[in-house]
Amino acid sequence: MDDLRDKYLTAIANVSDEASLEDLRVQAVGKKGEISLKMRELGKMTPEERQVAGPALNALKNEVNSAISARKASLADAALEERLRTEWLDVTLPGRPRRRGTIHPVSQVTEEVTAIFADMGFSVAEGPQIETDWYNFDALNIPGHHPARAEMDTFYTHRKEGDNRPPHVLRTHTSPVQIRHLEAHGAPCRIIAPGRVYRADYDQTHTPMFHQVEGLAIDKDISMANLKWALEEFFSAFFGGTVKTRFRASHFPFTEPSAEVDIQCSWEDGTVKVGEGDDWLEVLGSGMVHPHVLKSGGIDPAEWQGFAFGIGIDRLAMLKYGIPDLRAFFDSDLRWLRHYGFAALEAPSVHAGI
């Protein structure tokens, strides 16, 4: 037994890898290992011999197993040390720079508009972008012969042959949201309806798809004075400072009386500056909600009245941030997005004067 002990303890101490160590384990204490075979011989011994040889063999087996476990742990530690030495990482080095995306001007301006009107008590309402002919036109008092209903101005969906129902349309404004909101919630109400709208037009200041926000306020004593105040407060908050407005009589099917709204501006080297100068720039249409529109939403026009307005979000972005061409909004040019985009944490602020 002393010879076996010296043999295997020396071999275990000198082994250099885990595979060789496993071979030694099998040779020593495997089913057919030398120590295992010695233990099988105990049955041939006399009781007196077993009392002496049995404990000695068990002690030898335990000593060899302990040596194997210790050597295995030592080899694993050595392998880890070697790996750490060759695969080191300097955690003090600066990280690799990664380009960060930016918030699109349309998204930024939508958030700014929402924040300003929310501070004035307006909530946000939404509706489908594919509308019925009734919601998009009839409910808003737009007659069948109106130019807006012509195929050259509006995107109509296709109907199967023999289906004589009026085709659905890609909404030409977010005004249908007003009807849907009145149907669902009634009066009084104070909402804005931002979203995508679609018209068949394409040039430097028009695209087939653009963004619009419409406002609606219904109560029993609302007048044009409330409309003028709300718009002046919005423009002053959005552009900063005090922005004067000018209301010009106009005509829209869904409002009566109706007014185009101009804002004070100046022109310098082809660039417009809002809130200063002696010039005026038309920015939106507005007016008192037509009784037909109130009836379409299930509201009694003899009891309730209110104002409505609509303005292009893309155009607001162009005016505030000096963007010359509307078509670039939809080009997905990363250089343009990096130049005109906003940081993700650059939250819109509300003017302190509101």
Side-chain angles (χ1 to χ4, degrees), residues 105 314-315 317-326 328-329 336 340:
D314 314 84
R315 191 174 188 191
M318 294 175 71
L319 290 174
K320 184 172 182 178
Y321 297 112
I323 302 173
D325 194 326
L326 182 62
F329 278 68
W336 186 93
Y340 287 107

Side-chain angles (χ1 to χ4, degrees), residues 182-246:
L182 290 176
E183 287 180 335
H185 303 283
C189 76
R190 196 183 304 183
I191 63 165
I192 59 170
R196 295 184 181 93
V197 295
Y198 305 84
R199 296 179 189 174
D201 206 351
Y202 187 69
D203 57 36
Q204 187 173 358
T205 56
H206 298 85
T207 54
M209 186 278 288
F210 57 102
H211 301 81
Q212 190 180 61
V213 58
E214 300 210 8
L216 175 71
I218 303 294
D219 213 320
K220 293 186 176 180
D221 56 356
I222 288 183
S223 67
M224 289 286 287
N226 301 116
L227 169 63
K228 183 175 176 63
W229 175 86
L231 292 178
E232 286 182 345
E233 289 295 305
F234 165 71
F235 288 127
S236 297
F238 184 76
F239 291 107
T242 300
V243 179
K244 295 180 181 180
T245 61
R246 183 178 68 176

Side-chain angles (χ1 to χ4, degrees), residues 28-333:
V29 294
K31 289 184 178 181
K32 296 182 179 181
E34 287 189 77
I35 297 175
S36 299
L37 292 175
K38 288 287 185 183
M39 296 188 75
R40 292 179 185 177
E41 295 176 0
L42 292 174
K44 301 177 183 179
M45 297 180 183
T46 63
E48 294 77 10
E49 290 174 333
R50 282 199 298 271
Q51 288 181 353
V52 176
L57 281 172
N58 281 328
L60 175 60
K61 181 178 180 180
N62 291 336
E63 188 174 0
V64 170
N65 281 330
S66 296
I68 290 173
S69 297
R71 185 57 179 164
K72 186 176 183 178
S74 176
L75 290 173
D77 291 341
L80 178 60
E81 288 290 335
E82 179 62 21
R83 182 180 177 185
L84 292 175
R85 186 183 67 81
T86 57
E87 297 182 7
W88 66 277
L89 176 67
D90 188 352
V91 296
T92 64
L93 290 175
R96 294 185 179 93
R98 292 185 177 181
R99 290 189 179 274
R100 292 184 177 181
T102 56
I103 304 298
H104 196 282
V106 169
S107 299
Q108 177 74 10
V109 170
T110 301
E111 291 298 320
E112 292 178 16
V113 171
T114 301
I116 294 170
F117 278 110
D119 203 55
M120 289 193 282
F122 286 76
S123 60
V124 176
E126 296 181 328
Q129 297 181 41
I130 300 178
E131 273 291 6
T132 66
D133 188 69
W134 187 83
Y135 276 109
N136 196 79
F137 296 121
D138 295 328
L140 297 167
N141 198 36
I142 300 177
H145 62 270
H146 196 278
R149 302 182 77 145
E151 290 189 358
M152 62 179 295
D153 290 329
T154 301
F155 294 105
Y156 288 89
T157 61
H158 178 70
R159 289 287 189 194
K160 290 184 178 179
E161 187 176 353
D163 189 342
N164 296 320
R165 293 176 299 166
H168 284 29
V169 301
L170 299 184
R171 66 181 181 188
T172 59
H173 41 196
T174 56
S175 298
V177 178
Q178 301 177 11
I179 304 297
R180 291 182 177 275
H181 184 84
L182 290 176
E183 287 180 335
H185 303 283
C189 76
R190 196 183 304 183
I191 63 165
I192 59 170
R196 295 184 181 93
V197 295
Y198 305 84
R199 296 179 189 174
D201 206 351
Y202 187 69
D203 57 36
Q204 187 173 358
T205 56
H206 298 85
T207 54
M209 186 278 288
F210 57 102
H211 301 81
Q212 190 180 61
V213 58
E214 300 210 8
L216 175 71
I218 303 294
D219 213 320
K220 293 186 176 180
D221 56 356
I222 288 183
S223 67
M224 289 286 287
N226 301 116
L227 169 63
K228 183 175 176 63
W229 175 86
L231 292 178
E232 286 182 345
E233 289 295 305
F234 165 71
F235 288 127
S236 297
F238 184 76
F239 291 107
T242 300
V243 179
K244 295 180 181 180
T245 61
R246 183 178 68 176
F247 281 59
R248 293 179 290 104
S250 186
H251 170 73
F252 303 110
F254 30 79
T255 53
E256 181 60 40
S258 303
E260 298 272 9
V261 180
D262 304 334
I263 56 175
Q264 178 191 16
C265 69
S266 65
W267 294 88
E268 294 182 7
D269 300 325
T271 302
V272 61
K273 294 185 177 181
V274 176
E276 60 181 56
D278 299 324
D279 292 323
W280 297 94
L281 178 68
E282 184 271 318
V283 289
L284 63 84
S286 64
M288 300 299 292
V289 180
H290 196 285
H292 178 91
V293 177
L294 293 175
K295 290 179 181 178
S296 299
I299 305 299
D300 183 2
E303 184 179 0
W304 303 93
Q305 62 187 32
F307 65 74
F309 61 86
I311 187 171
I313 294 176
D314 314 84
R315 191 174 188 191
L316 285 175
M318 294 175 71
L319 290 174
K320 184 172 182 178
Y321 297 112
I323 302 173
D325 194 326
L326 182 62
R327 292 168 292 191
F329 278 68
F330 311 104
D331 285 343
S332 299
D333 187 330

